[in-house]
């Protein structure tokens, strides 16, 4: 009945789920498994056309008459190029046309194999979305294939209508039809209002109210985005709010912030008991790797991602719903539609967080970060560099009134210092920068630009290289390899800081740290910017951190 190629099975099932009921099929060999699967599916009206150029326009006519998406399928090679005129017409007429192209495996493109050319992206700017489905060999391949096909089909009618291109590589053998039923696949839906009806006939607000274990994860959010007080009063007990320091200001009510420490303290049975039924996400990146692993291993029944652009973001591998709304508008609408207060689940998380012992360390990078965080004046701005620093900061409480920023868009080490200096140059507040040695030296020209004011305080954590590489599970580095992988060095920031007009303060132990803190965290701007350089031992830092997380489970 159907091919055993799972990328084709995913596509066939999703075409049905997204309401594509007509397809124009063109002859060829590489598209045989696609043609036979669609032909045998029972939910597609199929039309046979030999000339691809004519087939594309024929499909266009079907779509114009029906007012719904129509597909056209062709084999590999130049057959696809003959659809180009129809695709261009569909783009400018805003007609929802699904172009499905069979392809040779990527390894054979450009190797003089027959009917091969680079097919992914061949229509360039004349389609709303172009995806290249992977051949499925692993569970991750299947998730990726499902997500890509959903993304393309959702885009057919997103912000106006238009064509999309789905390229499907097919390896031999592909003539067999050993599968007797289409897959039951995950279908991602997009909504713009909580009153809209889901496929089961219930509104999204009804879906929200049917679940009693609700979780909201708030990623990085601009400091200018603040939670509405009225919304906070209505929603504070409706779900557990998970927010790291980069997003806590956008949470209506109390949030669980020490998520890494909390999840490290519970066993597998407790994790299963903490599994949410409904997960709602908004904002940008999340730092905690443990949170990502928890939600991927213990997925909710439904995952709603809220974003003003309606983008498909499937960080936890269980996305079911995209809600195209500004998060503030979504929360306001949700507050007016939610029923009752079910704080049992949120209290379950809050009690576990409250039971955590304070994060206490001997002299190390972690101690330095914790001590300086606790001493920050209010109001002030905290800039966190990537890699270890931003992770350490999540372990400690932060005074209310401290804005937190970090370059988490791509999480690279370059540019953290330059971004902070630029922000501080137009800020009236004290700006503190926490940065590791490699990040600092990589971006040290940030201090060369002449815009470093006396409201700038920089904490450099110098342990002679990339400390994070000492704490990666399973990584063993020889002394020679460490030089190349961890970027070991013997440099200090002193000469550069002094040359650039900074007050320079070195720290070597807890005593010198405590002695330096009053001046570094003084709420008054001094005469010059200040740089505090804390020297620690990388291996000791890693061992202390590892021991701390081990003790959380005891």
């Amino acid at each position: 009945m159907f091919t055993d190629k799972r990328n084709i099975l995913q596509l066939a099932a999703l075409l049905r789920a997204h309401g594509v009921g007509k397809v124009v099929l063109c002859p060829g060999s590489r598209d045989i498994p696609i043609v036979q699967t669609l032909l045998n599916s029972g939910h597609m009206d199929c039309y046979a056309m030999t000339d691809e150029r004519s087939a594309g326009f024929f499909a266009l006519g079907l779509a114009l008459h029906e007012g719904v998406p129509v597909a056209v399928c062709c084999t590999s090679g130049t057959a696809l190029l003959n659809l180009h005129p129809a695709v261009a017409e569909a783009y400018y007429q805003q007609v929802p046309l699904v172009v499905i192209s069979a392809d040779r495996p990527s390894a054979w493109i450009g190797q003089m194999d027959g009917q091969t050319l680079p097919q992914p992206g061949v229509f360039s700017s004349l389609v709303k979305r172009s995806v290249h489905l992977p051949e499925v060999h692993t569970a991750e391949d299947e998730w990726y294939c499902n997500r890509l096909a959903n993304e393309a089909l959702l885009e057919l009618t997103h912000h106006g209508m238009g064509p999309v291109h789905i390229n499907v590589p097919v390896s031999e053998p592909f003539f067999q039809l050993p599968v007797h039923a289409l897959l039951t696949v995950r279908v991602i839906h997009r909504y713009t209002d909580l009153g809209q009806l889901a496929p089961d006939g219930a509104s999204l607000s009804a879906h929200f109210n049917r679940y009693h274990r609700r979780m909201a994860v708030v990623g990085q959010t601009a400091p200018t985005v603040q939670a509405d007080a009225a919304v906070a009063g209505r929603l504070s007990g409706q779900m557990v709010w998970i927010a790291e320091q980069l997003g806590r200001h956008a949470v209506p009510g109390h949030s669980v912030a020490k998520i890494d420490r909390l999840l490290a303290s519970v066993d597998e049975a407790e994790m299963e008991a903490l599994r949410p039924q409904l997960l709602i996400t908004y904002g940008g990146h999340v730092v905690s790797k443990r949170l990502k692993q928890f939600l991927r291993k213990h997925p909710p029944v439904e995952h709603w991602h809220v974003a003003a652009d309606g983008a498909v973001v499937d960080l936890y591998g269980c996305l079911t719903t995209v809600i195209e709304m500004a998060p503030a508008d979504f929360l306001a609408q949700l507050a007016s539609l939610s029923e009752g207060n079910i704080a049992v689940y949120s209290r379950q998380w809050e009690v576990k967080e409250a039971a955590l012992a304070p994060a206490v360390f001997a002299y190390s990078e972690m101690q330095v970060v914790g001590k300086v965080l606790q001493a920050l004046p209010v109001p002030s701005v905290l800039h966190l560099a990537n890699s270890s620093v931003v992770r350490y900061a999540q372990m400690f409480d932060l005074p209310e009134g401290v804005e937190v920023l970090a370059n988490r868009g791509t999480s690279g080490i370059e540019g953290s210092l330059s971004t902070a200096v630029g922000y501080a140059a137009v800020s009236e507040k004290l700006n503190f920068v926490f940065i590791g040695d490699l990040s600092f030296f990589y971006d040290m020209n940030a201090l060369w630009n002449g815009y470093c004011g006396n409201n700038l305080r920089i904490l450099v954590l110098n342990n002679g290289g990339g400390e994070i590489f000492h704490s990666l599970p399973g990584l063993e580095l020889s002394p020679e390899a460490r030089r190349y992988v961890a970027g070991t060095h013997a440099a200090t920031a002193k000469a550069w800081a002094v040359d650039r007009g900074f007050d320079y303060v070195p720290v070597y132990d807890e005593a010198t740290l405590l002695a330096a803190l009053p001046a570094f965290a003084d709420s008054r701007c001094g005469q010059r910017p200040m740089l505090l350089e804390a020297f620690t031992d990388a291996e000791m830092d890693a061992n202390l951190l590892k021991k701390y997380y081990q003790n959380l489970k005891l």
Side-chain angles (χ1 to χ4, degrees):
M1 284 287 293
F2 307 112
T3 180
D4 58 354
K5 308 297 183 185
R6 294 188 72 85
N7 54 0
I8 297 174
L9 293 174
Q10 282 279 347
L11 176 58
L14 286 170
L15 286 170
R16 176 174 61 187
H18 284 278
V20 181
K22 296 183 185 298
V23 60
V24 180
L25 300 172
C26 300
S29 61
R30 191 59 54 165
D31 64 340
I32 285 174
I34 304 176
V35 168
Q36 290 183 308
T37 296
L38 295 180
L39 193 61
N40 295 334
S41 67
H43 72 274
M44 302 285 280
D45 293 334
C46 299
Y47 301 81
M49 299 286 291
T50 301
D51 184 323
E52 286 85 5
R53 184 174 55 178
S54 179
F57 284 104
F58 184 88
L60 182 71
L62 291 175
L64 284 167
H65 179 270
E66 301 296 323
V68 295
V70 170
V72 57
C73 175
C74 71
T75 193
S76 64
T78 54
L80 177 61
L81 301 183
N82 286 298
L83 291 170
H84 220 139
V87 169
E89 185 65 24
Y91 183 79
Y92 285 109
Q93 275 205 61
Q94 298 187 343
V95 178
L97 188 68
V98 186
V99 177
I100 302 168
S101 55
D103 198 359
R104 296 295 207 272
S106 298
W108 291 102
I109 306 303
Q111 299 305 301
M112 299 186 182
D113 197 23
Q115 292 181 288
T116 60
L117 54 85
Q119 295 181 193
V122 72
F123 297 116
S124 186
S125 59
L126 292 176
V127 289
K128 297 186 69 186
R129 189 81 167 91
S130 178
V131 298
H132 179 69
L133 301 186
E135 295 193 83
V136 175
H137 304 292
T138 67
E140 186 174 80
D141 292 340
E142 186 132 20
W143 162 77
Y144 184 39
C145 178
N146 173 274
R147 194 197 84 202
L148 287 176
N150 268 297
E151 285 182 11
L153 295 170
L154 281 170
E155 203 61 28
L156 283 164
T157 55
H158 184 222
H159 294 311
M161 296 188 286
V164 300
H165 176 208
I166 301 175
N167 194 58
V168 188
V170 182
S171 292
E172 297 183 17
F174 51 77
F175 296 143
Q176 296 92 340
L177 299 176
V179 176
H180 298 286
L182 287 181
L183 300 176
T184 299
V185 297
R186 174 187 61 159
V187 183
I188 299 173
H189 298 280
R190 184 186 279 119
Y191 303 90
T192 57
D193 189 277
L194 292 183
Q196 288 179 261
L197 300 183
D200 64 357
S203 67
L204 286 183
S205 58
H207 274 245
F208 177 84
N209 288 311
R210 77 169 52 154
Y211 296 116
H212 296 283
R213 302 168 64 80
R214 310 164 185 153
M215 173 185 289
V217 174
V218 183
Q220 182 176 15
T221 310
T224 53
V225 178
Q226 299 290 326
D228 182 87
V231 170
R234 178 67 176 165
L235 289 179
S236 60
Q238 294 292 310
M239 53 189 126
V240 57
W241 298 84
I242 308 292
E244 296 166 319
Q245 292 167 355
L246 300 176
R248 62 177 189 158
H249 50 276
V251 173
H254 174 81
S255 64
V256 174
K258 304 182 186 72
I259 187 63
D260 247 14
R261 292 170 57 197
L262 189 156
L263 291 174
S265 70
V266 299
D267 58 26
E268 188 63 28
E270 289 178 294
M271 283 194 179
E272 182 59 28
L274 291 171
R275 178 203 297 260
Q277 296 168 313
L278 173 64
L279 171 66
I280 298 174
T281 57
Y282 63 90
H285 285 242
V286 171
V287 176
S288 173
K289 186 175 181 179
R290 282 184 174 85
L291 178 60
K292 297 170 190 175
Q293 291 172 334
F294 165 69
L295 289 170
R296 289 168 186 170
K297 192 172 182 180
H298 305 274
V301 179
E302 293 189 43
H303 171 199
W304 300 358
H305 182 65
V306 183
D309 61 2
V312 174
V313 179
D314 192 17
L315 177 62
Y316 306 108
C318 54
L319 183 68
T320 58
T321 305
V322 175
I323 299 179
E324 188 170 332
M325 296 177 70
D329 295 337
F330 166 79
L331 294 175
Q333 192 175 124
L334 188 65
S336 67
L337 296 171
S338 61
E339 300 172 359
N341 187 302
I342 50 171
V344 174
Y345 183 57
S346 60
R347 281 200 299 267
Q348 185 180 356
W349 281 83
E350 291 164 12
V351 166
K352 286 191 175 296
E353 184 185 40
L356 292 172
V360 178
F361 296 93
Y363 181 72
S364 58
E365 287 193 333
M366 293 78 72
Q367 186 195 67
V368 173
V369 168
K371 294 288 187 185
V372 180
L373 278 180
Q374 292 161 13
L376 290 181
V378 175
S380 62
V381 182
L382 173 63
H383 303 265
L384 297 172
N386 280 310
S387 202
S388 297
V389 173
V390 70
R391 290 173 170 81
Y392 293 156
Q394 311 306 320
M395 303 173 68
F396 304 96
D397 292 325
L398 188 66
E400 292 293 333
V402 176
E403 297 177 14
V404 185
L405 295 99
N407 284 356
R408 294 300 294 175
T410 54
S411 306
I413 69 167
E414 66 284 302
S416 295
L417 188 56
S418 292
T419 303
V421 171
Y423 190 98
V426 291
S427 172
E428 296 180 355
K429 299 177 182 178
L430 274 175
N431 281 250
F432 292 84
V433 186
F434 289 14
I435 189 167
D437 45 7
L438 294 188
S439 299
F440 175 82
F441 293 122
Y442 197 90
D443 195 22
M444 60 194 294
N445 280 343
L447 308 189
W448 189 24
N449 62 35
Y451 296 104
C452 296
N454 60 355
N455 66 334
L456 185 63
R457 313 269 172 97
I458 300 173
L459 167 63
V460 177
L461 301 175
N462 191 341
N463 59 11
E467 185 278 328
I468 195 169
F469 297 105
H470 293 269
S471 57
L472 294 177
L475 178 62
E476 298 291 338
L477 294 175
S478 67
E480 183 65 13
R482 184 171 290 118
R483 172 189 167 198
Y484 294 98
V485 175
T488 55
H489 64 87
T492 82
K494 180 179 179 180
W496 186 238
V498 171
D499 182 79
R500 302 313 305 152
F502 279 70
D503 287 332
Y504 174 81
V505 181
V507 167
Y508 303 100
D509 51 31
E510 186 172 357
T512 52
L513 171 64
L514 295 178
L517 271 181
F520 188 72
D522 194 323
S523 60
R524 298 164 296 179
C525 289
Q527 296 300 309
R528 306 199 305 172
M530 182 181 295
L531 188 147
L532 188 153
E533 186 168 19
F535 296 92
T536 64
D537 179 85
E539 192 168 347
M540 183 180 296
D541 291 339
N543 288 336
L544 284 172
L545 188 63
K546 189 180 300 182
K547 184 177 180 181
Y548 172 78
Y549 277 114
Q550 288 172 345
N551 288 339
L552 284 174
K553 289 187 178 293
L554 300 179

